[in-house]
Amino acid sequence: MTNKGREFEIERYRIDQEPFYVESQGEVGLFTTAAQNRMPVMLKGPTGCGKTRFVQHMAYRLGRPLITVACHEDLTASDLVGRYLLRGQETVWIDGPLTLGVKHGAIVYLDEIVEARKDTTVIIHPLTDDRRLLPIEKKGQIIEAVDEFLLVISYNPGYQSVLKDLKQSTKQRFVAIEFDYPAPAVETRIIEREAGVTGEVARALVKLGEKVRNLKHHGLEEGVSTRLLVYAGTLIRQGVEPGRACEVSVARPITDDADMQRTIGELIKAVF
Amino acid sequence: MTNKGREFEIERYRIDQEPFYVESQGEVGLFTTAAQNRMPVMLKGPTGCGKTRFVQHMAYRLGRPLITVACHEDLTASDLVGRYLLRGQETVWIDGPLTLGVKHGAIVYLDEIVEARKDTTVIIHPLTDDRRLLPIEKKGQIIEAVDEFLLVISYNPGYQSVLKDLKQSTKQRFVAIEFDYPAPAVETRIIEREAGVTGEVARALVKLGEKVRNLKHHGLEEGVSTRLLVYAGTLIRQGVEPGRACEVSVARPITDDADMQRTIGELIKAVF
Amino acid sequence: MTNKGREFEIERYRIDQEPFYVESQGEVGLFTTAAQNRMPVMLKGPTGCGKTRFVQHMAYRLGRPLITVACHEDLTASDLVGRYLLRGQETVWIDGPLTLGVKHGAIVYLDEIVEARKDTTVIIHPLTDDRRLLPIEKKGQIIEAVDEFLLVISYNPGYQSVLKDLKQSTKQRFVAIEFDYPAPAVETRIIEREAGVTGEVARALVKLGEKVRNLKHHGLEEGVSTRLLVYAGTLIRQGVEPGRACEVSVARPITDDADMQRTIGELIKAVF
Amino acid sequence: MTNKGREFEIERYRIDQEPFYVESQGEVGLFTTAAQNRMPVMLKGPTGCGKTRFVQHMAYRLGRPLITVACHEDLTASDLVGRYLLRGQETVWIDGPLTLGVKHGAIVYLDEIVEARKDTTVIIHPLTDDRRLLPIEKKGQIIEAVDEFLLVISYNPGYQSVLKDLKQSTKQRFVAIEFDYPAPAVETRIIEREAGVTGEVARALVKLGEKVRNLKHHGLEEGVSTRLLVYAGTLIRQGVEPGRACEVSVARPITDDADMQRTIGELIKAVF
Amino acid sequence: MTNKGREFEIERYRIDQEPFYVESQGEVGLFTTAAQNRMPVMLKGPTGCGKTRFVQHMAYRLGRPLITVACHEDLTASDLVGRYLLRGQETVWIDGPLTLGVKHGAIVYLDEIVEARKDTTVIIHPLTDDRRLLPIEKKGQIIEAVDEFLLVISYNPGYQSVLKDLKQSTKQRFVAIEFDYPAPAVETRIIEREAGVTGEVARALVKLGEKVRNLKHHGLEEGVSTRLLVYAGTLIRQGVEPGRACEVSVARPITDDADMQRTIGELIKAVF
Amino acid sequence: MTNKGREFEIERYRIDQEPFYVESQGEVGLFTTAAQNRMPVMLKGPTGCGKTRFVQHMAYRLGRPLITVACHEDLTASDLVGRYLLRGQETVWIDGPLTLGVKHGAIVYLDEIVEARKDTTVIIHPLTDDRRLLPIEKKGQIIEAVDEFLLVISYNPGYQSVLKDLKQSTKQRFVAIEFDYPAPAVETRIIEREAGVTGEVARALVKLGEKVRNLKHHGLEEGVSTRLLVYAGTLIRQGVEPGRACEVSVARPITDDADMQRTIGELIKAVF
């Protein structure tokens, strides 16, 4: 508890405890091979299916620090590479997350890369060539990545639009591993563990998750993530009535449509 | 009175007096459970139905400071996280409201989050993961939130449009509590108390409120808030003729449409 | 006269002479009540119907300074709240007009609020809550408004469009007083007084004004303001032929449409 | 001649020689009356019909300096009002053209005001009220205009579009004087004088001008300005063949349309 | 050769060697007359027809320095006029290209003026009035142009669109000289001279040029420039097979359309 | 290995080892001739067909440094030319990549030039004229390029749109060499060499590549690059099952379309 609230040094990006992750289709081996051969990796899949947890797990397994950057449309190349800052009377250079990773051999994870501005997207091009270089224009320098550096991006194909899509000249620099929601047995184990509920409750929640995800073909924008099912489980463990717990954790967050909320409400009743 | 007009220190975000709030459907318990389990909370509901008052009430009950940020399309990530400022010859770092809350265990309330720029929305992602981290890129640091930190956002589904909607990858990080206008008995108590009017006047105003809110299905953009009913009550207490008080507090502010104003005018006459 | 051209100190926002204003429907009493109860006020009405003059009059009557800000789409929150400025070697904080008013108990009048950027609009939200707070993010401070502070906005419903409209969550924070052009007798007195013309000339001008304003239902964008009628009167007093005076003061400024100008020309001939 | 190329002090805005101008419909008297009564003036009319020359002429007649600002969409309020600048180690305030005029009693001429950004347009509002104030937000000051200050704007109704139009609340602050191309006798005198050609050549050019301006009703975007006719005259005086002189001075500059150029070519042949 | 790579002082804008130029329709005399009479000049014509070479030639003939500015949509007024720069501890003013030309009597050539931002376009207005003034707002100064200063702009009517067009109030300040591709005999001489090929090869290339330019009426965006024909000649002189030389110098650069490239390929075969 | 992670000096842009490249249609000779005659070169062709590798190869052969700039819509002219930077108390000028190349005789390769902002595109105009000048506006200087400087741009015609296209006045400054995917025998050699697989595996991958590229006429956005085939080969060499290796290296990265992925899956099965 004394640990909380103070500022961490940048090398603390290393993950000390093994993040819980259950493999589904050989992705651990594939990622390991890619990392050993310095091949950039793209994680494809819907919201909340475990991409972020997987990369945390792999960073732990490979013993490399993990630097995560949530991309957005105002993220500049400088935000990634670094900038000069005034500190009192002195100007000091602060390495950005990408430069940090390139120098110290971290996994740099650019989450939702399609959201980034084009200059951010393009800065990774020379890093994904066989020469693995990062030009730092502001310092007139060029850095070669250490062997342990690995670039990983996530990409949700469902979001793709004309305005926000990766260029082929970017896409074709990555090995792509596809993700989907965990299999029922796996998801049950996750919920049991993270929400601290019985197997029975966990199985009911997984069943609800499956039913809600099927609604995606009937107008629901996106299926429910494992995280929200864990939220529901946690509330149930704390004594919240299961129907209410699922309403506030599942039905309300994922849709504003009254009909869809009613439909999900009936699914909740059917399960509990 | 001597207190007014001077500048408050930042730790004065603590609320000293209990804000008046009447619970309607178990939201106090739910919020408390979520807060104890470090689950981010989304408050959903129309304008002026009591979301802001509820979060003030909960901050008081839980004994945590409340930092409110009214989101808008020019709010930058730096506005939330902090920035270096020149003070005379020195450069000093000023924590933004989010950093303040993360360090000192406050409830940070991002009001009308859909109005914010995307970089502002995305900065809350690592804070709503299970590791609860806030990266401060400008300082090359990463802060872990103290246990008392709680992120709360408000969201009015009626405002949602293609351009301004929360991404599913943001939505699915929150437990969502739905709000609506207070029940008649509750709203009557609020108006009696806050406007200082008799129960009879308060009941008449609540009746007017109900009738006006029903117009939402007949072309009115948004129902009338409890706040405007309190304004009307206050004017009546000060001797303004009730019809005129309701005209300037209810009919005029909520619509510019002449027909709709006439309709509301007739509702006013029917009630008083 | 020796007074002109020098720079005034900021506390000179106080109005020394009573601005001429003729009440039409109890707005003086309503505004006074609202001011005493710290209720924000919205003045609704067309261009040039006397909203600005009214607020000047009320500031004089209530003995409070009046700080007027003409809103526009590039007005930033910093323009209202204040900013740090370099003065020689020193950095000094300069309070913006809103902070000035909040500290010293002025009426702050945001003219044509719909023109403002969203961050400007949103900054007034916590000031119009019951806690009446102004956060100054740049200084990491929060100021509570003194009791004499009053926020007043003007709003021309005729301008409203999809792009430029006040959000309901902003509108529903104000008591709204509606304005229209002054009644004939009142407008005649104003023109007599301000243009220095006889009652006969003033009455003719008022008649012209009425006829021109009726054209609004026949394609004229906006009626003629009292100010332009005063201009016409002034030119007539200076010896300009009445028809020419009305042409340059009324017909030419308010429309570029040749047919409409011809129609107004005929109205001018009919009156003089 | 030794005078050229050196930098003038700002007070040199005074016009020493009488600019040649021939009055057409009493505009000299009207402008003088408006100036004496501190009424802002709008000059309306097409490109190149003499608005700029008229305001130069009036500045000379009234003995006031003339500060002209060509408005454009990137002109900021600071460009007009002034700003702090670093000069070596010192920060100095530089008055913008509007502040200069307000302090020293100049005519400030905002040419093509519709091109300006909205914050530029709005800054003139308090200057065109009866209190004639210019707030300088950056300095926390407010300046009252001296009596000799006069605001003049030009406005070409032909340019008006939905995106670029003056708001009624701006328009209705000005007396509007309408301009058109000079009458034939007047334009002949101008060309004789400025191009140094004989009356015969000048009359031919005026005839050509009239014919070209009539094409405006047949698809020509804008009529030919007196300035271009003066250019043609100058080239003719220098020995350029009249047909070629008119082609490069009239036909080529005003249209890119091949058919329209051919039509103008035939008009040239008909006249010379 | 030792000369290369070092930095030239700004007065080196003078052209020491006569640029090769063959007059076609009296443009040398016209330009000279305009320059002597301080009339701004617009050069109209398609890409690569010799406008830039002509202005270089005229600068040499008139013995004036030539300052060329390639306009683009991010060119600011400050880029043209100048700005204060920090040099070590000192702030120094650096004249922009326009100010340099205005002070020292250069020809300032704004290439493709329609690409410039509006504030850049408008800054030339007072320079093209009869008073020839350049206001330097940042320094609070106003400079009168020396007699040798001449403003020249280029303008490609084929590019014109609704968004990118010169305003009439800008166009009508210039004498306009129209350019087209050189006549066959002239173009042959240019290619012989610049590519160092025989007359036979040069004539073949000119023939190809003519045929390709005729395709403009059949869907080709723009004709082939003399420069590209010179490139083709140079490659041929260096031993590249003529068909291949024309393919890479003519067909490939000017179009991406496969059918059009095939058509040009057949024209190449027909000529060589 | 000790070499990795440290910062390279800017002159390290020289390529020490010959990049593997197999010529297909005389492009080595053409490029050499163009370089010797200082003719700017445009490389046209689809993503991943070897343009970047070719320019690296040529830089090695010609013994010139290679400076690559990945263009994007936020790349400014200053990013290319250079800027003043504060270093402690001193202001130092840092040459941008273009200035570096112009001074020291490098090949400057602007990759995907159509992505750049217009000011970036236009800055190369004077460098591609026969005078080969680079104006450095910020320093008030103009630099003549050394003979060894060569400007090379890449351009993917398939990307071209109305919004993002090179202007003819830019295009017509370059000799254009067209590229396509390598011939089967060449591509086989590349894959054998770079992935370290047998000829049999390499040939199978080339066959797959051909089949996938044919899908471009059936709705696939872009064919598969040689790089992705090398990725597949590398995974196969590391023991990944060929079908899975091709799925993650070919099918997943290049398309999000489920039908297209299935089609590619069948092609993979047919080949392995």
Side-chain angles (χ1 to χ4, degrees), chain C residues 1 3-10 12-15 47 52-53 56 66 69-75 79 83 85-89 94 97 111-112 115 159 164 194 221-225 227-228 231-232 234-235 237-238 240 244 247-249 251-256 261, chain D residues 25-27 30 33-34 36-40 42 44 77 84 86 89-91 93 95 102-103 117-120 122-123 125-126 128-131 135-147 155 157 160 165-178:
Chain C
M1 201 69 73
N3 228 8
K4 302 290 176 63
R6 67 186 181 76
E7 296 164 350
F8 282 54
E9 307 249 313
I10 202 64
R12 300 263 188 137
Y13 282 104
R14 212 167 289 275
I15 297 175
T47 298
T52 297
R53 182 63 68 92
Q56 290 173 345
L66 173 66
V69 179
C71 295
H72 53 80
E73 63 195 17
D74 299 302
L75 188 81
D79 291 334
R83 49 168 59 89
L85 282 180
L86 277 169
R87 284 264 175 91
Q89 289 294 80
I94 303 292
D111 196 12
E112 300 198 44
E115 301 289 336
Y159 276 9
K164 287 197 171 172
E194 310 232 332
E221 190 190 356
E222 182 78 296
V224 61
S225 66
R227 179 189 286 126
L228 287 183
Y231 280 179
T234 305
L235 290 179
R237 195 197 67 217
Q238 296 282 335
V240 177
R244 181 79 169 129
E247 188 200 346
V248 300
S249 301
R252 296 303 193 193
I254 67 175
T255 183
D256 302 330
Q261 288 187 345
Chain D
Q25 41 181 349
E27 64 270 25
L30 254 178
T33 304
Q36 283 161 354
N37 288 279
R38 295 180 301 282
M39 293 156 82
M42 176 197 296
K44 288 178 78 168
Y84 284 104
L86 277 169
Q89 290 293 81
E90 241 181 321
T91 314
W93 170 264
D95 279 334
V102 160
K103 282 183 177 171
R117 298 200 317 177
K118 290 290 161 58
D119 63 331
T120 310
V122 150
I123 211 155
H125 281 199
T128 48
D129 277 337
D130 53 346
R131 299 183 64 208
I136 304 188
E137 290 168 15
K138 293 257 163 59
K139 297 179 81 176
Q141 293 176 331
I142 188 162
I143 307 181
E144 190 178 342
V146 300
D147 284 353
Y155 176 63
Q160 142 187 253
D165 193 9
L166 283 182
K167 291 192 296 179
Q168 285 286 344
S169 63
T170 302
K171 280 181 180 176
Q172 299 210 4
R173 294 163 180 279
F174 292 88
V175 165
I177 305 179
E178 198 114 4

Side-chain angles (χ1 to χ4, degrees), chain A residues 44 160 165 168 171-172, chain F residues 46 158-159 181 208-225 228 250-265 267:
Chain A
K44 289 178 77 166
Q160 142 188 253
D165 193 9
Q168 284 286 343
K171 280 181 179 174
Q172 298 210 4
Chain F
Y159 275 11
Y181 298 111
L208 175 66
E210 276 183 281
K211 286 173 187 293
V212 170
R213 285 163 193 160
N214 282 336
L215 292 175
K216 203 170 166 182
H217 307 294
H218 300 83
L220 188 66
E221 191 190 355
E222 183 76 297
V224 61
S225 66
L228 287 183
V250 178
R252 295 302 193 196
I254 66 175
T255 182
D256 302 331
D257 184 77
D259 288 342
M260 194 53 83
Q261 288 187 346
R262 232 179 337 261
T263 308
I264 297 175
L267 294 178

